[in-house]
Amino acid sequence: MTLPENKVTQLIDLMNSVSTAVIPAQKPIIELFNIAMDEKTVDYLLKLGKECYKVEELKTIYHELFGGNDEDWNDFWTNRLMKYSFLHPVSETQRDVYQILSIFPGWVEFAVSGPLNEERAAMINKFMEFWGILKEKNTFLLRTLSNYKNMKALKNGAPPKVSTLAARGREVSLNRELTTTQEVLTAGDVYRILEKNKDEIAVMNCFCRTYKKMSKDEDCGLGLPIEGCLSVGAISRQLVANGVARHLPYEEACAMMDEFEEKGCIHTTFHYENNANNDELVICNCCPDCCLLYSGYREGAISKVHNRAYYSPKMIDETRCTGCNRCAKYCPTEATYYDKAKKKLVFHYEKCIGCGQCVNQCRFDVREMVPDRRDVFVKTKKPVK
């Protein structure tokens, strides 16, 4: 049964209202909602709005809307709301209080990142249809306008306004400020987060590497495993209980991080409400080979690379550079490479997200990472044909 489109678009607007990462009501997104939801779930979530509720309050609202007994409620809570992560704890300090979750990053990832099945595969494919639109819509006019607005806002010291594609392909600007949605951390920062959450760490499948394996039957070019996204705190318990993630002992999590760092991961951290000022939810160990965020940038999708960085590379001795170009292979935003014609190491500071892989992968100590806190928006480039 197809869901009423007006209700779906209302729910998309509602989920976007609790996040700074806006996913427009494009056709594939509407179809994705139809896979994961029934009309009862849509009605319930619309009734909740973006308010915060304790579980008993959520149960009361269910009975007011649909009647039924506690067994009906428990089934709805377990097999709808929790299974698909439509709700999550408000914060680490309010674990017993729940709020509707955003679309992506948000419930889509949490719903599909468990063991692959037919439904999860269908949801992933629908989201990737939408992602393809971001590349198709990368016209000169839209690209120039988007880059201009975002860069102007950064130069003025204010967060960019959210600007995205509407359901029928035109551009719309939402009249609210965009706080940095994610931050890029060094491995040392991630280890400190893991230590702070020693008893509450879980690992789930990477959305991006899962799709690459599904669509091309290829593994990550850097040799990274499907299991790669770490969740911490209250959300990790929820994902383990829902069968999406598995609990990870602290020592195993650190060993996994050692492997990720050696293989060239970019540690991109997402937070409650997709706001880098809030508590951490998930640490995605991304790579330029598979990651939607970074491979999408390289291929010319409308850029979603808007990160908070804490470090940047500083040159120690450029004469040590041999021109091997390992830095270019691992840099997710093409901020650095060796120009063979000019025999010179090139670095574009405005593209640098501070991941540190140009330093980690270099065998000759050409650069070092130094503290440099800033927000970075990497301009969309022309689509790669």
Side-chain angles (χ1 to χ4, degrees), residues 311-352:
Y311 298 90
S312 62
K314 178 184 177 182
M315 195 68 66
I316 299 175
D317 186 352
E318 189 174 343
T319 63
R320 298 175 185 173
C321 178
T322 64
C324 69
N325 230 9
R326 280 178 64 85
C327 56
K329 176 182 177 180
Y330 288 94
C331 177
T333 55
E334 301 174 330
T336 190
Y337 59 92
Y338 183 78
D339 188 324
K340 292 183 178 180
K342 297 181 179 179
K343 297 183 179 180
K344 182 174 178 60
L345 190 60
V346 177
F347 175 59
H348 299 290
Y349 176 78
E350 70 279 3
K351 291 184 178 182
C352 175

Side-chain angles (χ1 to χ4, degrees), residues 90-336:
V90 173
S91 70
E92 284 299 296
T93 57
Q94 292 180 291
R95 293 175 171 224
D96 61 339
V97 179
Y98 288 81
Q99 185 182 31
I100 195 169
L101 194 56
S102 57
I103 300 172
F104 192 97
W107 73 265
V108 172
E109 288 170 292
F110 292 156
V112 305
S113 294
L116 197 60
N117 57 30
E118 186 176 337
E119 183 181 58
R120 286 172 174 153
M123 292 175 65
I124 291 171
N125 281 327
K126 285 300 173 186
F127 190 84
M128 292 308 299
E129 282 184 37
F130 159 71
W131 202 256
I133 292 173
L134 294 183
K135 187 173 180 180
E136 291 173 7
K137 296 295 183 180
N138 183 4
T139 61
F140 173 78
L141 181 60
L142 182 57
R143 179 173 66 251
T144 303
L145 182 62
S146 175
N147 287 338
Y148 171 77
K149 287 182 177 179
N150 283 288
M151 294 309 299
K152 182 180 179 181
L154 284 180
K155 288 178 181 178
N156 291 339
K161 298 285 186 181
V162 177
S163 182
T164 187
L165 299 172
R168 291 177 175 80
R170 61 187 176 85
E171 189 192 23
V172 294
S173 294
L174 300 185
N175 193 25
R176 59 186 172 86
E177 290 185 342
L178 172 60
T179 307
T180 308
T181 60
Q182 63 256 348
E183 55 186 357
V184 173
L185 303 178
T186 63
D189 294 322
V190 176
Y191 290 128
R192 284 188 282 275
I193 293 172
L194 296 179
E195 186 174 13
K196 184 176 68 174
N197 296 276
K198 271 188 175 182
D199 298 324
E200 295 183 315
I201 306 170
V203 62
M204 58 188 177
N205 290 347
C206 169
F207 180 101
C208 308
R209 289 194 275 278
T210 297
Y211 177 72
K212 182 174 183 180
K213 186 68 175 176
M214 278 175 46
S215 61
K216 300 180 179 179
D217 195 25
E218 293 179 4
D219 296 322
C220 173
L222 301 187
L224 292 159
I226 291 286
E227 266 193 339
C229 293
L230 302 176
S231 58
V232 294
I235 196 67
S236 71
R237 288 186 178 272
Q238 178 174 321
L239 295 174
V240 170
N242 298 344
V244 174
R246 66 178 178 91
H247 171 71
L248 203 60
Y250 171 69
E251 292 76 14
E252 188 179 341
C254 290
M256 190 175 280
M257 276 299 304
D258 291 343
E259 177 190 358
F260 292 159
E261 181 72 357
E262 180 182 352
K263 289 183 176 178
C265 278
I266 304 102
H267 313 301
T268 310
T269 307
F270 297 89
H271 303 254
Y272 286 99
E273 296 184 328
N274 290 320
N275 183 338
N277 297 315
N278 295 337
D279 294 327
E280 299 90 0
L281 275 170
V282 172
I283 302 155
C284 286
N285 293 291
C286 308
C287 73
D289 182 57
C290 309
C291 177
L292 295 190
L293 192 65
Y294 302 118
S295 69
Y297 161 75
R298 286 184 166 203
E299 293 169 1
I302 297 294
S303 181
K304 300 292 182 182
V305 184
H306 179 225
N307 298 339
R308 179 167 297 163
Y310 292 92
Y311 298 90
S312 62
K314 178 184 177 182
M315 195 68 66
I316 299 175
D317 186 352
E318 189 174 343
T319 63
R320 298 175 185 173
C321 178
T322 64
C324 69
N325 230 9
R326 280 178 64 85
C327 56
K329 176 182 177 180
Y330 288 94
C331 177
T333 55
E334 301 174 330
T336 190

Side-chain angles (χ1 to χ4, degrees), residues 186 310-318 320 345 347 349 352 354-372 374:
T186 63
Y310 292 92
Y311 298 90
S312 62
K314 178 184 177 182
M315 195 68 66
I316 299 175
D317 186 352
E318 189 174 343
R320 298 175 185 173
L345 190 60
F347 175 59
Y349 176 78
C352 175
C355 70
Q357 285 303 327
C358 61
V359 171
N360 294 340
Q361 300 299 327
C362 181
R363 300 186 175 113
F364 303 101
D365 296 327
V366 174
R367 295 175 268 209
E368 64 179 351
M369 297 303 288
V370 297
D372 184 17
R374 67 204 189 280

